[in-house]
Structure formats: C-alpha cells, structure tokens
Amino acid sequence: MDHNEFFPPHDGVSLRELAAHLGVELLDERAGDELVRSVSPVARARKGDICYILSRKSRADLETCEASAILCDPGLKSIIPDHIPVLATKKPHTAFAEAGALLHPIALRPSPVTSQSGISPAAFVDPTARLEAGVEIEPMAVIGARVEIGSGTRIAAGAVIGADVKIGRDCTIASGASVLSALIGNNVIIHNGARIGQDGFGYAPGPKGMLKIVQVGRVIIQDHVEIGANTTIDRGTMDDTVIGEGTKIDNQVQVGHNVRIGRHCGIVSGVGIAGSTRIGNGVMIGGASGVNGHISIGDGVQIAAMSGVVADIPAGQTYGGIPARPIKDFLRDMAEIMSRSDDRAKRRGDKKNDG
C-alpha cells in the first residue's frame, strides 16, 4: 500500500523471522531472506507488503497482487501466483493480526498528540494525585484529586480524570475522553471522546414530574479492555457497572447503569444496552442492536446486527431479528416475507399486463 507519515513502514522483517514469530510455515525456504515492511489489502499489495486471504473469493484480487508474502490456509496454496511466497496457517486472520502488530506497533493504540514526554507543564495535576514513574500526561489534560495512575499509562491531550479514579499500568486514555467514578485495570485502551462513569438514566415519577434517582455506583473496567470513540458507559445506581477482562467495545456504544458484561465479549458500533442487564462471557453483539434491560444473555451467544433483544437468551445460541429469536426462525420468517413480497409484485405485474 502507499505509505504515509502517520504509520510509516517497518525497517524490515525477513520471512524466515516472521514465520517463526507467527508460528506458521514458509512453504518456500528460498524466500526466507525476503523482507516485509507493511500490511496491505490483497489487490493493492506491492513488494515489501504482506496480505492474507480467507477463501477462493479473493482469486480476482490476486491478479494484481505483488506482495512479498501472503498468509493463507494450506488448501488455498494452489490459487496463489508462483511469484508470491506463501506463509501457510490454519488461522490466517489471526496470523495477519499478529503480523500487523509486529510491523506497526504504534497503530495498536491512539498515538501521542505532541512530541513531549513525561508530564506536560500545560496539564493540570492535582497535588493529591499519585502517579507512578513513567506516567505521561499531555497538555490540557486534567487529573483530579486523589487519582492514582500506574506506570506506562498515558493520559492524552484534553482528557479528564475525575477525583478518586484509579487507573492501572500501561493504559491509554485518548484525547477528549472523560473517566469518572471508575476503577480501570491494566493495559486498557479508551479511545477519543469516550465517556466513562457519568450518571445513568434513572428517574421516578413525582407530583411535579420526573425525580432524579441518585447514581452512587462505580464503573469497573478489567484488564485488556478496549473502548471505542464516543462510547458511553454509565456508572451504577447503587451496584457497579462492570466490563469484563479482554472485552472489546466499538465506537458509539451505550452501556447503561448496572450492566455487567463478561470476559472477551465483542460489541459492535451503535449497540445500546439498557440498565441492569447481565451478559456472559464470549458474547458477540452485532452493530445497531438494542438490548433490553434486566435480562440475561448466556455465555457464547451471538446476536445478529440490528436485532432487538427483549428477553433472556440461553448460552450458546445465535439470535437475530426484531424481536430477536433463534436465527433459524428469523431466517425462515424473512424468507416467507420475501416470498410474499415477490408474489404481490408478480400479481401487480400480471394485472398491469392484462390492462
């Protein structure tokens, strides 16, 4: 691909070294000294790039591919042009992710805004805050009273860390994010503009309108969590809102108060999760889905994009639609709707021709 100043290419890793690093097989050892420097989509890959394919659907893209290496399943070797070295693996997608991390480590988390290191004189750090050695605070960031931040963590320009918040080691809090009433683990990434720990949406009817219910809980974010730009995670009402270890949350997701999300979940953009819902481990929720409050979603559940989840889902199920139901039922219903629509269109066409 065309390189730019934002993510410059690596100095070079030989295919022999890369294969060992990834635990994959270089099928032609004569190509072991070939260097790769960057990642690229298949159709635009040039010398020095590495790319990957998952199926024979990429055959057309290979016609213009000039990559220095391609990752693929051993069963796809026959469709790879002879001039492209093959790194064979049963998990090419995973191997490509690991290769990208090796070649472009600075792209794994939000980059620093300035070239300064340490604590900027243009930041405000409350004198009661406790910062371990190696913390970086960029200009215009605000660190509140009694905050604790672990070594290797960077608080980017314009971020706000509220009083008594605790942030672990090797975290990145990106520009414009705010973190309040929260305990953050180690190696957590919070992207630009995310809002963590504001009060949840809780009201009770009163004689003169809605009465605000105080929200005195916390947000607890465990290790290795990543939270996308402009996502909001409300603090609990009286219990805690919890995001489990290794969970990845996309941009513009709303997580309501008292929600508990398990470990290693994936939640795609535009999802809204209402208060007090329990989500198990390894759950995947497709984009723009809505999840009702006070329900439970079992371990390993998969929810299709743009679904509306209104009731509990047992572990291991795949659901879709509005209201969400087992995916086979949803697909059958959609097939019937499309069939009826086609029939109506045919009848209208017949009437038009008769007229």
Side-chain angles (χ1 to χ4, degrees):
M1 63 179 291
D2 294 332
H3 301 298
N4 59 55
E5 65 273 20
F6 299 115
F7 306 106
H10 193 277
D11 291 338
V13 178
S14 73
L15 290 185
R16 187 177 297 106
E17 293 172 314
L18 184 62
H21 178 80
L22 301 178
V24 303
E25 182 183 3
L26 175 60
L27 296 186
D28 185 357
E29 284 295 334
R30 294 172 298 179
D33 293 330
E34 181 81 19
L35 296 180
V36 292
R37 295 181 169 88
S38 187
V39 296
S40 177
V42 177
R44 294 196 291 109
R46 296 293 177 262
K47 186 175 178 60
D49 294 339
I50 185 171
C51 54
Y52 76 107
I53 62 170
L54 296 177
S55 73
R56 295 180 182 273
K57 294 179 181 179
S58 300
R59 186 191 294 267
D61 291 337
L62 289 168
E63 295 177 2
T64 57
C65 182
E66 297 293 337
S68 289
I70 189 163
L71 288 153
C72 68
D73 186 277
L76 296 175
K77 178 186 180 300
S78 61
I79 70 170
I80 307 300
D82 292 339
H83 66 279
I84 302 177
V86 172
L87 296 173
T89 171
K90 290 291 186 181
K91 297 180 178 180
H93 199 183
T94 300
F96 184 76
E98 293 173 348
L102 177 66
L103 297 172
H104 296 285
I106 65 170
L108 291 176
R109 58 180 66 218
S111 300
V113 176
T114 69
S115 60
Q116 296 178 349
S117 59
I119 299 174
S120 169
F124 175 82
V125 180
D126 191 276
T128 63
R130 298 173 57 189
L131 278 55
E132 290 185 345
V135 170
E136 294 188 1
I137 311 291
E138 292 189 354
M140 311 310 293
V142 177
I143 310 299
R146 300 172 300 280
V147 165
E148 297 180 15
I149 302 177
S151 63
T153 288
R154 177 166 51 83
I155 311 298
V160 175
I161 310 300
D164 299 299
V165 166
K166 294 178 175 58
I167 299 175
R169 295 172 176 166
D170 300 315
C171 296
T172 299
I173 313 299
S175 299
S178 60
V179 181
L180 314 171
S181 305
L183 306 179
I184 311 292
N186 299 316
N187 197 34
V188 169
I189 301 172
I190 297 176
H191 284 269
N192 305 71
R195 304 294 181 217
I196 311 298
Q198 60 286 330
D199 60 348
F201 190 77
Y203 295 87
K208 296 183 179 180
M210 304 292 281
L211 298 176
K212 191 176 184 70
I213 296 174
V214 296
Q215 310 284 304
V216 296
R218 306 171 297 181
V219 174
I220 297 176
I221 298 176
Q222 297 178 358
D223 296 348
H224 307 294
V225 168
E226 185 162 358
I227 296 168
N230 295 324
T231 280
T232 57
I233 301 177
D234 296 340
R235 67 177 182 264
T237 303
M238 290 172 284
D239 294 324
D240 294 324
T241 301
V242 179
I243 312 298
E245 177 185 3
T247 284
K248 313 301 182 186
I249 301 177
D250 198 359
N251 304 330
Q252 296 181 317
V253 171
Q254 159 67 15
V255 179
H257 54 202
N258 305 329
V259 169
R260 290 178 177 261
I261 298 174
R263 300 168 61 241
H264 303 295
C265 296
I267 301 173
V268 185
S269 64
V271 169
I273 304 173
S276 299
T277 282
R278 300 291 184 265
I279 296 175
N281 300 320
V283 172
M284 301 294 162
I285 304 179
S289 294
V291 181
N292 195 17
H294 298 273
I295 63 173
S296 295
I297 297 175
D299 293 348
V301 164
Q302 296 183 347
I303 299 171
M306 301 184 72
S307 295
V309 182
V310 298
D312 294 352
I313 300 179
Q317 299 295 304
T318 300
Y319 271 48
I322 301 175
R325 50 208 183 272
I327 196 69
K328 290 182 179 179
D329 296 341
F330 168 62
L331 294 176
R332 183 181 63 245
D333 294 344
M334 291 303 298
E336 291 178 0
I337 291 171
M338 295 302 294
S339 177
R340 292 173 185 173
S341 177
D342 291 343
D343 288 344
R344 285 194 296 268
K346 185 177 183 300
R347 287 196 297 270
R348 285 196 298 269
D350 290 342
K351 289 179 181 179
K352 183 177 180 180
N353 292 333
D354 291 341

